[in-house]
Every structure is written in structure tokens, then in C-alpha cells.
Amino acid sequence: MTGPEPIAFGPVTHKNGPATAANAPETAVGAPETPVRGSEAAVRDRDATNPPTESQGLALAAQRPDTPAKPLTDAAKRRTSVRYSSIAARLKLDPETMRKPGNTTTRKTDTATPRKADTATQRKRGTATTRKLGTAAGKHQRSTQRTAGVDLTRVKPRAATVHLSHALAADWLRDEGLHTKSSGHCTNRNLFHCTSLEDVRTSTITRVIELKRQSGCPIMVTGGTETGHAPGRFSHGKGYKLDITHNSCIDRYISKKHEKSGTRGDGAALYRSPAGTVFADETDHWDILFR
């Protein structure tokens, strides 16, 4: 692929015939004799009737390395000076330096001074680092506060359904001042005269402990998950219910602090707590459902 043909200066082939001294146009600048090919003949013919201006002629001459550029004439210098003066006056600039008066600022070449973009980048990085450190510190502080304020007697919902061994459940009760009693002096779950806490639900143990704390009354557990109780979804065998003995303190607390909610089928009076605990007043004990 070839580029456009360079502009050739000098005599042209006239449309009416070969170039002669009579029909050859005068060139704006002195140039060696070079032939003109193609459509440039029409261009040179047009330029013959409409010659380039002084500045255009200088630009054309500058494109030809074999032709020395003509220096500006005094008239051209005056016109250039007048043009720059008018621009300086319109923009209120110093005509000598073309800058605002009193502005001596030069181009910034000092690489030691950070650019605005660099400063902004560093600021963003610093802010992001500070934010990350602050977030990590805040998480650590919140985690520490949660750990320090944990109440081990309160069971999370996902742990409420965990079933405990008899030994662990009995230890929890003993540590909180509650006692267990068995008519057969045993803990075998398969014997009805034993008192067993095997596979009792975690929430059942924690809520009976809460009952002890709120009432301030002595509590004796006499029935747990052992056989001999009525079956059902929310039964002793499923770990939802405990039996505790009567005493004046706990009787008064349950009947005075909880709303009466009717009578069970066997004639036991029912009391219900706001949390959903149901107390059934049987003949020799309280049958309590912790749901």
C-alpha cells in the first residue's frame, strides 16, 4: 500500500497543453523543476489564480527540506505582535510571558512532590486499612463482650432439643440446689419405681432451674423419663415433663404467679406461665410440662 503522492512544486502541465513560459504560473516560492502528475495539475492550476497567503507559503516551504524558509517580514512580525497583544488583552495576560500577572508558576517537574492522584490513592488505602483494622477490633470486642456476658443457664433454641445423660442432668440440678428422689432409690429408666433423667431435654432442665431461681423455693424432682408415665408427643418419656413434690412455698408461687387455665381430664387444676409452661396440680406432686 502506497501513501499519497507528495505535493510537487514548480511548473505544471496546463490543461490546454504542455507547460511553457507563457502559460506556466509563477510559484510562490522558488523550487526546482519537478513534474506534476495526476490531479495535482488541477490543484496547481487553481493555486495559480488563487495564490497562497504569506503564512501558507511559509508552511508549504517548511514542508520542502530543499527549500530554505523565508524569514518573517517586518510587516508579518508586526501582525503577529498585534495578534498576540490582542489575545493577551482579551485574556488579561502579560504579553511578554502570556501568563496572568504575578503568576510565576512553572511546570511541576519535582517528582518528590506526590501528585493529587497519588495522594488520593494513599488516602483511600489508609482509610481502607483503618476501616479493616477497626472492623476487626470491633468484631473482637463484640465477641469478647458476648463471651463475658454468657449465661450458661440459658439455652439457645438449637440446643434446647439436645438430650442429656442422667449423670449430667443430675449434676446440673445439684449445682443449682435442686434434688432428686426415687421411691426405689434407683435411676434405671426401665423401672417405674426409679427416677431417671436419661434423655431429658436440655430446655427442661434449664427451665426447672429457672423456676427454682425465680420462686426461691426448694424443689425436689421425683419423676423424669422413666417408664410408667402416660405416653405422647410431649410426655415424660420424650423428655418434656418433670414431677416435683408439693410444698407450701412452690404451691403458693405457682398458684399466685401463674394464670389458671382450666382443669385437666383427671380433675387436676392447670396453671400456665407466659412462656408456655403448664403446671398440673395432682394429688401428691406437680406434673409440669416444659414446652
Side-chain angles (χ1 to χ4, degrees), residues 262-276:
T263 304
R264 201 168 62 179
D266 59 357
L270 299 178
Y271 298 86
R272 184 182 299 271
S273 74

Side-chain angles (χ1 to χ4, degrees), residues 27 38 57 61 67 71 82 92 97 100 102 114 141 144 176 193 203 222 225 228 245 285:
T27 59
T67 303
V82 171
K92 299 181 180 180
T97 62
K100 292 184 178 181
Q141 183 179 4
T144 303
E176 294 294 331
H193 57 272
S203 62
T222 59
T225 58
T245 58
H285 66 272

